[in-house]
């Protein structure tokens, strides 16, 4: 069924005419021109399409638009503030966490969600939070290090 839905995407009110069964990922990439969330598996298994929905990391390939009316969506494009990168983006860069970068969106969004909920996570909590994102380059240990670094910096700020 085609209907209008309203979303708050990266702090901007947006309205779309969509098939209510359509995954949010398609709306973001094809209608909102936000290409940060990636298509990987389309089945909720790789995490490449992660976005924040009301502050929590969720795979946008599994979220149907009909359930999202007036939801608050944040994509990787909305993480920087006043032209400054998000502290986790800085830490990912400092550690050179990514290799090919395909999983980067999912890793960052999952890490943002984690630190917002738990600013000082243990290594096992970081691993658990990033566990929903597959990295085919195998740079998991660098992503974990980057999250630790961002967490430490925020504690000392
Ligand atoms: Fe959504 Fe893989 S594309 S989890
Ligand atoms: Fe290549 Fe993770 S850096 S998939």
């Amino acid at each position: 069924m085609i209907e209008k839905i309203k979303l708050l995407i990266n702090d901007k009110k947006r309205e779309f005419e969509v098939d209510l069964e359509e995954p949010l990922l398609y709306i973001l990439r094809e209608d909102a021109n936000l290409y940060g969330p990636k298509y990987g598996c389309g089945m909720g298994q790789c995490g490449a399409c992660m976005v924040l929905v009301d502050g929590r990391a969720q795979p946008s390939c599994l979220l149907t638009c009909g359930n999202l009316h007036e939801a608050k969506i944040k994509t990787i494009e909305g993480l920087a503030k006043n032209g400054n990168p998000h502290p986790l983006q800085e830490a990912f860069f400092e550690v050179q966490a990514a290799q090919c970068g395909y999983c980067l969106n999912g890793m960052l969004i999952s890490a943002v969600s984690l630190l917002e909920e738990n600013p000082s996570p243990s290594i096992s909590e970081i691993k658990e939070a990033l566990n929903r994102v597959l990295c085919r380059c195998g740079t998991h240990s660098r992503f974990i290090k980057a999250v630790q670094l961002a967490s430490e910096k925020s504690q000392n700020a």
Side-chain angles (χ1 to χ4, degrees), residues 128-147:
E128 193 183 329
L130 301 187
N131 202 21
R132 295 163 76 198
V133 186
L134 295 180
C135 174
R136 62 190 174 183
C137 301
T139 65
H140 292 85
S141 57
R142 296 207 300 255
F143 286 116
I144 293 164
K145 201 169 156 195
V147 178

Side-chain angles (χ1 to χ4, degrees), residues 16-71:
F16 302 96
E17 205 160 290
V18 295
D19 177 343
L20 296 183
E21 295 300 313
E22 195 170 346
L24 172 65
L25 177 62
Y26 297 178
I27 303 298
L28 293 173
R29 292 183 60 87
E30 292 168 16
D31 299 301
N33 297 327
L34 294 167
Y35 303 112
K38 303 280 186 284
Y39 184 92
C41 63
M43 298 166 64
Q45 292 180 352
C46 74
C49 63
M50 287 289 188
V51 297
L52 296 168
V53 181
D54 297 326
R56 298 195 59 211
Q58 298 205 41
S60 59
C61 68
L62 289 189
L63 302 172
T64 49
C65 291
N67 295 320
L68 291 170
H69 190 57
E70 301 202 336

Side-chain angles (χ1 to χ4, degrees), residues 49-120:
C49 63
M50 287 289 188
V51 297
L52 296 168
V53 181
D54 297 326
R56 298 195 59 211
Q58 298 205 41
S60 59
C61 68
L62 289 189
L63 302 172
T64 49
C65 291
N67 295 320
L68 291 170
H69 190 57
E70 301 202 336
K72 198 172 156 193
I73 313 289
K74 185 152 281 197
T75 70
I76 193 171
E77 289 89 345
L79 293 183
K81 268 197 191 135
N82 305 323
N84 298 314
H86 187 283
L88 271 159
Q89 288 175 307
E90 283 180 348
F92 275 43
F93 182 73
E94 195 172 328
V95 171
Q96 291 286 290
Q99 192 164 309
C100 79
Y102 203 81
C103 67
L104 187 56
N105 172 70
M107 292 292 187
L108 254 176
I109 293 289
S110 301
V112 170
S113 178
L114 170 68
L115 292 192
E116 276 178 13
E117 200 174 304
N118 176 6
S120 187

Side-chain angles (χ1 to χ4, degrees), residues 3-7 9 14-18 27 31-32:
E3 265 187 37
K4 275 192 182 160
I5 62 159
K6 289 181 183 170
L7 297 171
I9 303 179
R14 304 287 306 263
E15 203 168 297
F16 302 96
E17 205 160 290
V18 295
I27 303 298
D31 299 301

